[in-house]
Amino acid sequence: MREPEHRGPGPATASVSGTAAVVLDGDGVVIARSERAATLLECSPGRTCVPLLGMLPRAGTDAGPVGYLMTVPGDDHVGGKVPLVCTVVRLAAHTPGGEGTATQWLVLVTPAETAEEAAERDARRRRTGLSQAAAAGIGTSLDVIELAETLVNLLVPDFADLATVDIAENVLVGDEPPHFHTSGDVRLRRTAAAQSPEISAEDLLAVGEALPAVTDSTLMRPLMEGLPVLVPDVAVLQAELGVDPRALPLFVPSGAHSSVAMPLYARGLILGCVTVWRSQLPSAFGEEDAALLKDVVSRAALGVDNARRYTKEHRSVVTLQRSLLPRSALDSAAAETVGVYQPAGGGSGVGGDWFDVIPLPSLRVAFVVGDVVGHGLDATAAMARLRTAVQTLADLDLDPGELLTHLDDLVLGFSEEQMTSESHAEHAGRSERSEPAVLGATCLYAVYDPVTGRCATAAAGHPPPVLLPPDGEPVFLRVTPGPPLGVGGVPFEVTEFGVRPGSMLAFFTDGLVESRGGDIEEGMERLRGSFAGADPGLPLDELSRAVFDGVRPQESVDDAALLLARIHALPPDQVAEWELEADLSLVSRARELVVGQLSEWQLDELGFVTELVASELVTNAIRYAGGPVGLRLIRDRVLVCEVSDTSSTQPRLRRARETDEGGRGLFLVAQLTDRWGCRFTGTGKTIWTEQPIGGALG
């Protein structure tokens, strides 16, 4: 090995740790030596060093290298003949009197590493690398299976030829494992396995399979106390494992000569077990290996326990989120609907996206889709408050713009409530966090009437729906955008449009079309193209899933919701409507029209009640509102009777006193019908009633 030429004023005597240094002249006489050289070589200063003399002529030739490595035997006094590694370097030193230079030689001598020492050094290197890799790589995931796979990949192939991780079944679903008293009580499932390419483990238990029960034994008992079980000889394990010999290949890989088993032990509970085997690696596992595995697995046990806790909390949040959503598939006179919801990252980030389908009076239906910014239980709780508020406001039968205005006021109230709570907590010196406000929420509310075929929509910072006609291209509806909820002071405009029967409406949240660093416009165009290429004849659940999976980004950072509605229209023969002048003499005409229509629909059994209801409502409308009065009957699963007038006065239900001449009409209507209510329109109001129809439609 060629070394750089060194020129100096005199001999060099410094030594490196563990290395001896000897300086020779051209005749091999020792000029100087280090203390370490005295223990390795019998070379005294002023005398010729015979063991090193043979090297100098070769190294001193002008054409040859100035330095090289050579192994020579050491002396007996250092414990037998030891190979030495020598490096010879030529030095140039000035001669006395300044007449030229004399050649000197620096010889660095180091005891050569034996095979055993090399093996031990390599083992130490592997152990150090494994410990460092475990510290850096274990515990970074909150997924039990992913953590188990990381662990076995760290152990193989440098530390073991085969590694398996078996987890208690309760832990895999997020529950805390029971207290196992004996090894026979433990129920584990193979969660991860890794092996060197050179070995075969075909008969070993496959990942996903449950481990057969193992009887309690002295060999396995330390596992119950969180201690490793070191088996230098696999034959001992096979004899003491206590399982059916036919089942041994499930536990012990063929060709293995030693193993170590270490429980995943945390908080006094056994979460699982890690087992490593050696077959190709020549050295058997020792105490140092068992100690190292214990250190690595203890880190993994904490990670598994944290992942289990996260799994349990995440499962609770997902269950809460899904319980707050409506049934995924609904079918009504107005529409057939299917909803899809998926948390961010395939389930890791449950958030505040939601959809809803709310039946309204007169066979109408409201479609709702909303999004609360954020993830976790806070966002889910905020979503629950918003969804409950929307359902309550929808029960008042408000138009979409007015409903969003009330919802906006509620969100402002939520924010003020949180600020007040946090202020009180701060003054009281408490550190606990108050319930979060609903901030950064969006919502779209649409009402479809199957009788008129019209849909009224208003949006609060939310993307518009997609309309897919039965024989046309999908388009995004031009809904007048409004600010997100919580801004306050800005009205929400209502957009009306007609929808043909058989059309589809798609309501979605931005998590479906938005990706990290991507343009939401590109995502919306991708959604439109997905509907354009889809088969509209598919069942709605299949279509919704195909569109959802095809559009949503693979690495979505937000949860997403999609609500599909296939629009129906009520046939004309199920609706009858008339307009009456404001003349009390026409009340009898109203009764005749109602009785005649019910007879035509073969609903004579409802004639008496409906005639009385229509008479009372028409009479009140003519008496107190004036102007033309609208009368409409709608037949579906229920019979709807509507009376419309030009007044905006809200009718009030009250109990009349015995001396009152009137005031009993609305009370009778409420007693005789199943439901009743009032909604305001652009020209006045409509009072409606519902009665159940006993048989199927004729």
Side-chain angles (χ1 to χ4, degrees):
M1 179 181 70
R2 181 174 296 275
E3 298 286 341
E5 184 173 297
H6 173 77
R7 297 181 181 274
T13 59
S15 66
V16 183
S17 176
T19 301
V22 181
V23 180
L24 307 173
D25 64 11
D27 297 326
V29 177
V30 177
I31 299 174
R33 70 177 183 181
S34 66
E35 293 182 5
R36 174 68 170 155
T39 63
L40 293 178
L41 298 167
E42 292 183 353
C43 295
S44 303
R47 294 186 178 184
T48 302
C49 185
V50 177
L52 302 180
L53 182 62
M55 306 177 191
L56 303 185
R58 287 184 293 157
T61 58
D62 293 337
V66 296
Y68 62 93
L69 297 176
M70 177 176 288
T71 302
V72 298
D75 288 335
D76 290 334
H77 70 272
V78 294
K81 295 291 183 178
V82 222
L84 301 177
V85 178
C86 300
T87 304
V88 182
V89 182
R90 185 179 62 184
L91 302 175
H94 293 282
T95 59
E99 299 178 358
T101 59
T103 299
Q104 295 179 351
W105 303 95
L106 171 64
V107 183
L108 301 176
V109 183
T110 305
E113 194 175 48
T114 65
E116 292 78 7
E117 291 172 333
E120 178 58 29
R121 178 177 55 81
D122 187 55
R124 285 197 302 270
R125 177 190 60 78
R126 290 199 307 268
R127 287 194 290 266
T128 302
L130 175 59
S131 181
Q132 293 173 345
I138 294 178
T140 59
S141 173
L142 289 175
D143 183 88
V144 174
I145 296 177
E146 184 177 332
L147 197 152
E149 291 173 346
T150 301
L151 178 58
V152 295
N153 289 328
L154 282 175
L155 296 171
V156 176
D158 287 342
F159 183 75
D161 293 310
L162 173 68
T164 60
V165 176
D166 307 312
I167 303 291
E169 295 183 348
N170 295 36
V171 174
L172 291 173
V173 296
D175 295 333
E176 192 166 277
H179 288 271
F180 299 119
H181 300 290
T182 67
S183 59
D185 300 330
V186 180
R187 294 294 180 269
L188 305 178
R189 187 170 294 273
R190 174 96 358 124
T191 307
Q195 64 190 59
S196 299
E198 297 82 7
I199 70 171
S200 173
E202 297 178 356
D203 296 330
L204 207 64
L205 194 71
V207 172
E209 297 292 330
L211 267 72
V214 177
T215 57
D216 189 35
S217 64
T218 305
L219 179 68
M220 306 301 292
R221 204 158 291 159
L223 293 176
M224 311 310 298
E225 302 174 2
L227 301 175
V229 172
L230 173 62
V231 182
D233 186 358
V234 169
V236 176
L237 175 65
Q238 292 173 329
E240 298 189 20
L241 197 56
V243 299
D244 189 330
R246 292 171 297 181
L248 272 177
L250 296 176
F251 292 90
V252 182
S254 60
H257 57 73
S258 64
S259 75
V260 182
M262 180 67 204
L264 288 160
Y265 198 73
R267 297 182 297 106
L269 297 173
I270 296 178
L271 309 176
C273 184
V274 179
T275 309
V276 292
W277 306 85
R278 280 182 181 172
S279 57
Q280 298 297 313
L281 294 173
S283 60
F285 286 113
E287 295 294 341
E288 290 187 2
D289 296 312
L292 174 61
L293 185 65
K294 182 178 180 180
D295 177 63
V296 171
V297 174
S298 64
R299 297 176 186 270
L302 293 176
V304 168
D305 195 42
N306 290 335
R308 179 199 65 78
R309 293 169 182 260
Y310 173 80
T311 300
K312 183 177 182 179
E313 293 176 4
H314 182 264
R315 186 183 63 185
S316 300
V317 174
V318 171
T319 302
L320 174 62
Q321 167 81 357
R322 296 193 183 279
S323 69
L324 294 172
L325 295 176
R327 287 182 297 153
S328 60
L330 294 172
D331 195 2
S332 67
E336 174 193 359
T337 61
V338 167
V340 181
Y341 170 80
Q342 184 170 311
S348 60
V350 179
D353 288 15
W354 92 94
F355 59 85
D356 212 342
V357 181
I358 306 174
L360 297 177
S362 303
L363 307 184
R364 296 168 305 134
V365 65
F367 306 115
V368 191
V369 63
D371 183 3
V372 176
V373 174
H375 300 94
L377 193 58
D378 290 348
T380 301
M383 178 273 287
R385 299 182 74 176
L386 276 185
R387 181 171 181 249
T388 302
V390 170
Q391 290 176 324
T392 302
L393 292 171
D395 195 51
L396 298 177
D397 220 345
L398 304 174
D399 76 72
E402 189 176 358
L403 183 142
L404 290 183
T405 300
H406 284 287
L407 194 63
D408 187 49
D409 292 339
L410 283 173
V411 172
L412 286 173
F414 294 157
S415 301
E416 293 176 1
E417 174 188 330
Q418 180 187 4
M419 293 175 63
T420 302
S421 299
E422 289 180 348
S423 177
H424 290 167
E426 183 178 352
H427 284 100
R430 298 194 306 268
S431 59
E432 65 266 18
R433 185 180 58 174
S434 60
E435 183 178 355
V438 183
L439 299 175
T442 66
C443 183
L444 185 142
Y445 185 83
V447 176
Y448 171 69
D449 189 341
V451 177
T452 63
R454 304 286 295 174
C455 185
T457 306
H462 204 86
V466 179
L467 172 64
L468 178 60
D471 55 357
E473 291 294 318
V475 294
F476 285 97
L477 295 172
R478 296 182 178 275
V479 177
T480 303
L485 298 173
V487 174
V490 181
F492 298 94
E493 296 187 27
V494 179
T495 303
E496 281 201 35
F497 51 89
V499 185
R500 288 188 292 161
S503 299
M504 278 193 299
L505 287 172
F507 306 89
F508 60 95
T509 59
D510 57 5
L512 181 62
V513 294
E514 193 173 24
S515 59
R516 190 190 303 272
D519 187 354
I520 190 172
E521 297 294 334
E522 294 179 358
M524 292 177 68
E525 182 57 31
R526 190 168 61 248
L527 176 62
R528 193 196 67 80
S530 180
F531 278 111
D535 180 6
L538 284 175
L540 208 57
D541 56 344
E542 295 183 19
L543 179 61
S544 62
R545 178 51 64 182
V547 170
F548 192 94
D549 294 342
V551 174
R552 193 181 190 205
Q554 291 184 352
E555 297 183 0
S556 179
V557 296
D558 195 6
D559 54 337
L562 172 67
L563 175 63
L564 282 189
R566 182 170 280 143
I567 299 302
H568 303 324
L570 211 61
D573 60 356
Q574 291 181 219
V575 181
E577 55 186 331
W578 307 273
E579 185 174 297
L580 305 173
E581 296 296 328
D583 185 351
L584 288 175
S585 64
L586 295 178
V587 174
S588 60
R589 174 61 179 162
R591 291 196 294 267
E592 293 174 0
L593 293 172
V594 167
V595 172
Q597 186 61 56
L598 292 180
S599 177
E600 182 179 336
W601 284 343
Q602 299 180 3
L603 297 176
D604 300 275
E605 69 278 7
L606 301 178
F608 176 75
V609 172
T610 309
E611 179 185 6
L612 179 58
V613 168
S615 176
E616 288 292 337
L617 296 180
V618 170
T619 299
N620 287 343
I622 294 175
R623 180 175 296 169
Y624 300 112
V629 175
L631 174 61
R632 183 166 71 172
L633 297 178
I634 305 173
R635 175 180 67 105
D636 191 64
R637 295 184 178 89
V638 295
L639 177 66
V640 179
C641 178
E642 295 181 343
V643 174
S644 304
D645 59 49
T646 57
S647 172
S648 298
T649 303
Q650 173 74 38
R652 292 186 302 115
L653 180 65
R654 64 186 181 90
R655 186 181 298 274
R657 294 172 297 183
E658 293 183 1
T659 57
D660 291 342
E661 295 184 0
R664 297 176 176 83
L666 201 55
F667 178 77
L668 288 175
V669 168
Q671 294 297 311
L672 293 173
T673 59
D674 193 49
R675 293 200 311 157
W676 77 279
C678 175
R679 68 175 179 272
F680 293 101
T681 64
T683 58
K685 69 175 182 295
T686 297
I687 301 177
W688 55 268
T689 65
E690 285 184 3
Q691 299 174 70
I693 296 177
L697 292 178

